[in-house]
Each structure stands twice: as structure tokens, then as C-alpha cells.
Amino acid sequence: MYRIGQEEIDAVAEVIKTGKLFRYGIGNACETFEKRYAEYLGVKHVMLNTSSTVSLNAALAGLKIGPGDEVLVPACTYIATAIAVLAVGAIPVVVDIDESLTMDPKAVEAAIGPHTKAIIPVHMWGLVCDMDPLMEIAKKHNLLVIEDACQCVGGAYKGRMCGSIGHVGAFSFNYYKNMSAGEGGATVTNDDDAAMRIGCMIDCCQFYWAGREKSIPLFTSAGSRASEIEGAILNVQLDRLPGMIKAMRAQKKRILNAMADIKEFKPLKYNSLDWECGAYAGFLLPDADTANRFQAIHPCMIAGKTGRHVYTEWDPIIEKQGAPNPVLNPYNLKENKDCRMDLKRDQCPKSLEILNRAVMIATHPDRSDADTDALIEKVRAAAKQIL
Ligand SMILES: Cc1ncc(COP(=O)(O)O)c(C=O)c1O
């Protein structure tokens, strides 16, 4: 979250004053946001919910992925991406990232097996996946594509909004995201059938509030309805998003350009530099040791060392604990017996090697040009010290 203030206070106060905190038949903040965000993304359905772990889970269920299916996920993402796969009874299979820090299309193609049903490209840290080759591979092998755009709210790939390119997309609005209501999520799609199923996942009782089409096969779920407070905050945050993204993109380019003469600071592979969020200027240093020495002088993020974004940190998955009860654990289901269930910590050495030397300098939409220049000077000075 970059900004929050009086406008959000006013929007929430309005909801509280009217007492209209429930969305169906009472308030209209969630519905307004869903319509506006659908237009912003260029998709038919936006379905708000309480977190993106739920959004991803609903996306997978919406596409009828379940026991017996493998879903390819990248070596670098928050564990929730893989947890959502297990939550529908399927098995996550980890594949390498490339120098963009996102899913390597070549690794995806090499990893496709007889049980692979879907892939989840994750647009990490505002960077975007190379969606053209990924969509081509998916089409060739008849795979479904769920875009995890949790960390790329407002980002796009070659002019198409992230989350709108695959069959279904998922967004997070938790505290750390470009738009935030503290917690929150949305599942988006153009697919009417998937949308009906996603609706059941988000609110298994939606037919009480929204009426029931008899042709819609209902099923039960845990449910995760958004409140009008979430909707009200997000309506304000959406107004600000385009300006913030524009500022971050410009700042990122300024940093990249300023480092262009230092060959040891090789820019990441940017799949769509003009369109991604611009949250970080990322560089690949010659090796992990150089990256560590740089970080010791200039505080920054090393992609492989955030403590929670690399598959090696996914203990419950490595330990095959995919549910609170062994009977429900996808790793114990007979339907999954032919799926690739083992995740070894040394499975993706190429990804680890890249992530441990990827140095990420954060941008900020409120940083002035003068402060950006001062930051660049510090980064350059630190670079000279270690090289
Ligand atoms: C890439 C990615 N996927 C999924 C999630 C899960 O989102 P939430 O925290 O809204 O459940 C996150 C959250 O940080 C994330 O970064």
C-alpha cells in the first residue's frame, strides 16, 4: 500500500453512517468497484472476495481443476499460489523461473506431463511474465492459464492488463499491494461458466441474495464474501492507481538508465518494460556474493532472500501436508497417485542461482525527482565500492 488517507476515511464513514455494510441488496460499494475494475481490466466478470488465496482457490475451482490434475507453478512466488492448488485437491509442480524472475516458458514446456492441466504464471514484484509464449504453449498443450496478478495490480503486458490475458486472473488487495483494503482479493474472468463456479466458491449461499438460475449447478464452499468497507476503500484506491503506476514506471526507467554504464549491474530481463508496474528496478549482479556485499552497503531486497518467496521455504508442501486432515490431504488421494508429488529443496538450482544475485531497488510513487537522483548517487557509490 502506497497511500491511504482522508478520502478512504470519508468513503468508509459514508458506509458506516448509512449502516449498509452488507453488499447484497443493501450496499453498492462492492458492486460499483467490480464494474469499474472490470472496465479498467477489460474483462467481463470481477468478483471481490476476502483474500487472493481465496481468489486463486476460486479460480482453480472455477476451471474445474481438482484431484488427478497437476498445476505448474513458478519457483518464485508466495506459497499461497501453490496452496490454492492443494485446496482444490490438485498437485502443484514447481518449474524454473528465468532472468525475468517469472516463469520460464521453456521450463514450462519441458515440465508438461500427462496429468498437467493448468499453469499459474505469477507476475512477481510488479514484473510481468512473458505471456505470449506462455499462452501459445498452453494452447498447444490444451492447458488452462490462471494468472496470479496479486503483486501486479495495475500492471500490463504489451498493452493488455495483467489478469485479463489467461482464462482466469487473481488479485490481492492485502496491505502490501498496489491497491489495498488491508486484506482483500478479486477473481476475474471472461468465462461465464467459470464465473458461476467462482461465485459458488466465494459465496456458496449467493442464491439467497442474488437469486438462482436453475441451470447453475450449485456446490458448497467455505465462502469469503467481501464487505462494503472493502469495496468503499478500493473505489478510492482505484482512482489513484493509474497515476501511481505512471510515476513508478518513470522512476524505474530513470534508475535503470542511470546504471546503464555499470556492466556488472545487468538489468533483469524485462518482458514488457513500458507496461509493468515499475515497483522495482532489478539488476542481476555477477554472483550471490557480490549481491550480498552490495546489500550490506546499500539496503535493498535480494529476490532470493525475502524469506517467503522461494519454493525452498514452502515447508508444508515439501512435507506433503496439503490439508488439516490426512483424509483430505491431496498427497494421500488415490486420484493423485500418478502425479509428481515430490518437491525437493534442490529441485530448481537455476532459479536459486538467479534469485540470489537479483538485487531489487524499490521505487515509490511519492519520491521526488531530486530524491530519486540522490538515491541513484548512493546506489552508484555502493556499486563502485564493491566492484
Ligand atoms: C504472488 C502472490 N500470490 C498470492 C498471494 C495471496 O494473497 P493474499 O495475501 O491476499 O491471500 C500473495 C500475497 O502476498 C502473493 O504475493
Side-chain angles (χ1 to χ4, degrees), residues 137-152:
I137 292 165
K139 195 167 173 197
K140 184 169 143 200
H141 295 275
N142 208 16
L143 303 179
L144 295 160
V145 179
I146 298 104
E147 281 180 87
D148 180 335
C150 293
Q151 299 202 8
C152 205

Side-chain angles (χ1 to χ4, degrees), residues 32-227:
T32 302
F33 175 77
E34 287 173 343
K35 281 192 185 135
R36 294 178 63 212
Y37 199 45
E39 200 175 314
Y40 177 74
L41 297 175
V43 296
K44 207 164 160 188
H45 306 277
V46 168
M47 304 163 94
L48 264 183
N49 47 58
T50 52
S51 80
S52 186
T53 308
V54 165
S55 310
L56 285 163
N57 178 214
L60 288 151
L63 293 174
K64 298 187 179 165
I65 289 157
D69 298 330
E70 289 175 353
V71 179
L72 305 186
V73 301
C76 172
T77 178
Y78 184 51
I79 188 172
T81 313
I83 286 176
V85 175
L86 290 164
V88 293
I91 299 293
V93 174
V94 173
V95 300
D96 266 317
I97 51 121
D98 62 19
E99 293 194 350
S100 68
L101 310 192
T102 64
M103 213 170 207
D104 179 355
K106 287 195 210 83
V108 168
E109 189 142 39
I112 295 168
H115 302 285
T116 311
K117 183 86 175 278
I119 64 174
I120 309 186
V122 182
H123 306 293
M124 278 302 281
W125 294 305
L127 306 163
V128 297
C129 302
D130 205 356
M131 289 308 293
D132 283 343
L134 288 172
M135 292 306 291
E136 227 168 86
I137 292 165
K139 195 167 173 197
K140 184 169 143 200
H141 295 275
N142 208 16
L143 303 179
L144 295 160
V145 179
I146 298 104
E147 281 180 87
D148 180 335
C150 293
Q151 299 202 8
C152 205
V153 175
Y157 173 80
K158 300 182 183 174
R160 283 171 293 157
M161 295 305 290
C162 290
S164 73
I165 303 166
H167 299 93
V168 180
F171 293 90
S172 170
F173 306 124
N174 80 20
Y175 177 76
Y176 298 99
K177 304 304 188 269
N178 292 344
M179 273 201 296
S180 176
E183 296 285 0
T187 313
V188 312
T189 187
N190 286 313
D191 179 331
D192 294 338
D193 285 348
M196 288 191 264
R197 294 174 59 81
I198 291 163
C200 279
M201 288 297 286
I202 293 172
D203 183 357
C204 59
C205 299
Q206 62 177 329
F207 62 95
Y208 290 142
W209 334 116
R212 184 186 174 185
E213 272 284 338
K214 286 289 176 214
S215 61
I216 305 175
L218 293 175
F219 55 87
T220 62
S221 72
S224 61
R225 276 192 307 271
S227 91

Side-chain angles (χ1 to χ4, degrees), residues 5-22:
Q6 193 57 49
E7 287 163 303
E8 283 86 350
I9 293 172
D10 293 344
V12 171
E14 185 58 28
V15 169
I16 294 172
K17 267 191 246 159
T18 57
K20 296 180 174 175
L21 275 77
F22 189 71

